[in-house]
Amino acid sequence: KQEVTQIPAALSVPEGENLVLNCSFTDSAIYNLQWFRQDPGKGLTSLLLIQSSQREQTSGRLNASLDKSSGRSTLYIAASQPGDSATYLCAVSHTGTASKLTFGTGTRLQVTL
Amino acid sequence: GAGVSQSPRYKVAKRGQDVALRCDPISGHVSLFWYQQALGQGPEFLTYFQNEAQLDKSGLPSDRFFAERPEGSVSTLKIQRTQQEDSAVYLCASSPRQGTDTQYFGPGTRLTVL
């Protein structure tokens, strides 16, 4: 059974810092990996999707990398802002059951002024 | 355009009551998903539809949970004889084609069972 782990569980940084969120998964037979953002009381917003054949994806200040063989992904946020405060979730879809996402428990990020 | 909508946003039920949660996906989206998110946890997959066909219901925790999408658009998740452990946020997501596309999530329905 696929298990997805995210560390740290919570993180507080001052505005302007660069930061890295980590995601690991136990079964490397994934179809793709997605990073989502969740704000309190709201649904999930997709940030980046990396296909299993890709190594990284970039969108603005966000960069996500994928090392499928080692079962790891990182989300890099450059020049953090208070508006980045949210919970960040990674999720993998598995080869053969590509429709189903398995989520980690998330990293709760707070960016302070 | 309109995103995924869910209703009600909040539902309080007494233990033993039946509840029905509604999801309106983005118009034209083929795939629809239901997830359950307990407090402090990531969402967990419940079931998946492609048009009106329920292709995967492996995540439904018991036979008290039932989902349908009779016309391939709106979906309803029904929970019979609710129990306290059913308290969670129920998230609906849709994607344009088959399930490997990016999924677009609704705001969720927070169910509290007393």
Side-chain angles (χ1 to χ4, degrees):
Chain A
K1 177 186 175 184
Q2 177 75 272
E3 293 185 3
V4 181
T5 304
Q6 291 186 247
I7 54 172
L11 182 63
S12 181
V13 300
E15 181 180 14
E17 275 204 6
N18 303 324
L19 60 102
V20 174
L21 307 181
N22 297 289
C23 173
S24 61
F25 45 95
T26 54
D27 187 343
S28 61
I30 65 168
Y31 194 87
N32 60 40
L33 181 144
Q34 297 183 55
W35 283 93
F36 291 87
R37 168 186 173 136
Q38 186 171 33
D39 293 280
K42 297 188 178 180
L44 281 65
T45 301
S46 180
L47 299 173
L48 291 164
L49 183 151
I50 310 176
Q51 300 291 352
S52 61
S53 58
Q54 297 175 320
R55 298 285 292 183
E56 66 177 335
Q57 283 284 345
T58 297
S59 176
R61 294 182 294 108
L62 305 180
N63 176 275
S65 67
L66 173 64
D67 184 343
K68 197 173 78 163
S69 61
S70 67
R72 294 182 181 178
S73 176
T74 61
L75 178 66
Y76 176 82
I77 303 176
S80 58
Q81 303 171 357
D84 295 331
S85 299
T87 296
Y88 291 80
L89 294 155
C90 72
V92 299
S93 63
H94 192 272
T95 303
T97 59
S99 56
K100 180 188 307 185
L101 290 179
T102 301
F103 283 85
T105 53
T107 293
R108 190 171 65 254
L109 172 65
Q110 182 174 14
V111 180
T112 59
L113 292 171
Chain B
V4 178
S5 62
Q6 294 186 245
S7 61
R9 292 293 314 277
Y10 304 92
K11 177 70 178 178
V12 178
K14 292 183 179 179
R15 190 172 55 185
Q17 284 185 332
D18 298 346
V19 298
L21 312 180
R22 176 187 170 106
C23 172
D24 285 80
I26 294 172
S27 178
H29 276 198
V30 168
S31 297
L32 185 145
F33 309 81
W34 285 98
Y35 293 87
Q36 179 190 58
Q37 186 175 23
L39 188 64
Q41 302 296 313
E44 291 193 0
F45 172 82
L46 293 176
T47 187
Y48 161 56
F49 290 86
Q50 190 169 314
N51 296 307
E52 69 278 3
Q54 190 174 20
L55 299 187
D56 189 344
K57 55 180 181 180
S58 61
L60 296 177
S62 76
D63 59 6
R64 296 186 296 104
F65 287 71
F66 173 76
E68 60 183 5
R69 193 186 186 198
E71 298 179 358
S73 56
V74 171
S75 177
T76 304
L77 177 66
K78 298 179 180 178
I79 308 173
Q80 297 177 325
R81 304 181 303 282
T82 52
Q83 300 178 5
Q84 286 189 320
E85 59 262 32
D86 300 335
S87 296
V89 175
Y90 290 85
L91 295 165
C92 176
S94 69
S95 66
R97 295 179 296 273
Q98 63 180 7
T100 53
D101 290 334
T102 296
Q103 296 181 23
Y104 298 85
F105 281 78
T109 294
R110 181 177 296 277
L111 172 66
T112 302
V113 181
L114 303 176

